[in-house]
Amino acid sequence: MYVAVKGGEAAILASYDLLAETRRGNPSVPELRLAQIREQMGTAVARVMSEGSLYDADLAALALKQAQGDAVEAIFLLRAFRTTLARFGSSEPLDTSTMRVRRRVSATYKDLPGGQVLGPTYDYTHRLFDFTLGEESAATPEARPADAPLDAVMARVPDILGQEGLLEVEQPAAGDPAPTDITRDSLSFPAGRDVRLQTLARGDEGFLLGLAYSVQRGFGHNHPFVGEIRLGEVAVEFTPEELGFPVDLGDLTLTECQMVNQFAGSKHVPPQFTRGYGLSFGHAERKAMAMSIVDRSLKARALGEEVVYPAQQEEFVLYHSDNVEAAGFVEHLKLPHYVDFQAELELIRRIRAERAAHAQGATMPEAAE
């Protein structure tokens, strides 16, 4: 049982002032603007939007500024704000096959329709400091030559395997029910894939990365191949009841990853490839890849595979992937636990006294002899 303790109001208010002073830093250094964070810290903004479940780059930038760059605190801020927003309905399913691609690579096919599009990535850079980035300059970067136009629509690489019948077919559940909304309904098990994917999309990138790493190191039965990673913009459409037809609301920048895994088959399913799926806001390849690996691991039971390893156990994965809940449970230990500790302290003292008395009683006969 936790006992509520009210702290000194003056001390708490003083801590607010000190936090604001610490956040601002040296006043002689120009203050960060939200546009700078949004435009120059795009991957951090993308992570906050994804794990905060709200696509708003300006709010994500504000959250990062307010949290002094602490991603988990920023995610918490964004989620808290999200709960205040009105809900008008659900958009139409996104069609990533129509994505206006900026980056698209496959590790399974060298030559594919539309080609490999390297796009913006650190994959081919040396991990060496670029000290020129530390030089302040007001100069505007030179415009680079326009790239050759890309195909308007690039077929997804896993669809190639699907055309040959070599990739598992994923069909909606009977009756095509609306997906569960995990922001409104609590987790229950066994969890449907819609619940698993939503939870993984909000899950902590580091936690999912560690699980994905464990699968590749032998704590799993599959070896993943990157079928395709793509980055680009996808239109979001919403169908108002009064209109009855979809309206384009705008574009989202998304990263999509489809992993391909070998499957030996079962009594009812021939040998084929199975897939794992990952989707994230913004440019977030590491998150999308880790998500897709864990998604495939969580399909073990449905595929008739033995569930042995941590990444295959959905209760373990889904209950512990949320960084806001995890941070809250760990950090609540900073709150007063005086009564609890005093009870533990008295228990330890009593046990030690009883053990000392028992030891003394056991040595008395020897002293009499």
Side-chain angles (χ1 to χ4, degrees):
M1 178 177 180
Y2 296 108
V3 179
V5 179
K6 183 177 180 181
E9 184 176 356
I12 292 174
L13 293 177
S15 75
Y16 291 166
D17 295 336
L18 187 58
L19 176 61
E21 180 182 329
T22 304
R23 178 192 299 122
R24 177 59 182 87
N26 190 336
S28 65
V29 177
E31 184 176 358
L32 270 177
R33 303 300 181 190
L34 297 188
Q36 293 173 297
I37 300 174
R38 184 190 65 232
E39 298 299 327
Q40 300 175 43
M41 300 183 68
T43 54
V45 168
R47 178 182 177 184
V48 172
M49 291 194 301
S50 290
E51 297 174 26
S53 296
L54 182 62
Y55 190 94
D56 190 314
D58 288 324
L59 284 178
L62 175 60
L64 281 167
K65 180 177 180 178
Q66 183 172 333
Q68 296 178 270
D70 184 333
V72 175
E73 181 68 21
I75 290 161
F76 199 165
L77 286 168
L78 200 63
R79 285 197 195 178
F81 177 79
R82 184 185 186 277
T83 63
T84 69
L85 301 178
R87 185 183 183 89
F88 299 102
S90 300
S91 67
E92 299 296 319
L94 299 180
D95 184 1
T96 56
S97 67
T98 64
M99 178 184 288
R100 292 187 297 283
V101 169
R102 286 195 279 131
R103 169 166 162 78
R104 184 260 202 139
V105 295
S106 171
T108 54
Y109 287 93
K110 178 181 179 182
D111 299 313
L112 61 152
Q116 305 270 5
V117 183
L118 300 188
T121 179
Y122 289 102
D123 290 350
Y124 314 108
T125 62
H126 297 294
R127 264 59 178 196
L128 300 173
F129 274 118
D130 181 357
F131 289 102
T132 63
L133 296 176
E135 300 172 4
E136 297 184 7
S137 173
T140 302
E142 296 182 7
R144 62 185 179 84
D147 293 329
L150 302 176
D151 294 348
V153 176
M154 292 186 183
R156 291 171 294 198
V157 171
D159 295 339
I160 300 173
L161 291 171
Q163 291 172 0
E164 297 184 49
L166 299 177
L167 187 67
E168 68 171 323
V169 178
E170 295 184 336
Q171 298 290 352
D176 194 14
T180 302
D181 185 347
I182 65 169
T183 66
R184 293 183 163 193
D185 301 309
S186 300
L187 277 175
S188 60
F189 298 96
R193 190 155 181 247
D194 58 334
V195 172
R196 298 201 303 263
L197 287 173
Q198 286 181 65
T199 306
L200 295 178
R202 285 163 55 97
D204 181 76
E205 179 180 317
F207 180 78
L208 298 184
L209 184 64
L211 287 175
Y213 182 44
S214 75
V215 170
Q216 293 177 270
R217 289 193 65 249
F219 291 86
H221 290 305
N222 56 76
H223 183 281
F225 295 89
V226 174
E228 181 180 18
I229 294 173
R230 55 170 54 197
L231 162 72
E233 281 64 49
V234 179
V236 180
E237 295 183 335
F238 178 72
T239 303
E241 292 184 6
E242 60 272 23
L243 295 182
F245 57 85
V247 177
D248 191 333
L249 299 181
D251 296 334
L252 298 182
T253 299
L254 300 174
T255 300
E256 181 185 52
C257 177
Q258 296 204 49
M259 286 285 179
V260 176
N261 302 73
Q262 187 179 8
F263 178 56
S266 63
K267 292 181 180 179
H268 309 290
V269 180
Q272 59 181 340
F273 292 102
T274 57
R275 75 176 91 198
Y277 187 76
L279 187 70
S280 186
F281 289 149
H283 193 175
E285 292 179 25
R286 189 186 303 116
K287 170 66 178 288
M289 292 179 69
M291 177 180 170
S292 62
I293 294 173
V294 177
D295 170 53
R296 170 57 182 84
S297 294
L298 292 177
K299 295 166 73 172
R301 197 182 306 277
L303 293 171
E305 298 173 340
E306 186 180 8
V307 176
V308 179
Y309 304 112
Q312 297 173 306
Q313 298 170 4
E314 65 176 14
E315 289 193 40
F316 174 79
V317 172
L318 302 186
Y319 267 143
H320 299 98
S321 64
D322 192 299
N323 52 29
V324 172
E325 289 191 14
F329 207 81
V330 171
E331 292 188 5
H332 96 279
L333 297 174
K334 295 184 290 187
L335 298 177
H337 285 69
Y338 310 133
V339 175
D340 294 342
F341 180 72
Q342 288 301 316
E344 294 281 341
L345 185 60
E346 289 301 319
L347 176 62
I348 292 296
R349 285 172 173 166
R350 188 175 72 250
I351 294 174
R352 287 171 63 92
E354 291 173 355
R355 182 172 296 180
H358 179 74
Q360 184 178 6
T363 60
M364 288 184 66
E366 298 178 5
E369 292 177 3

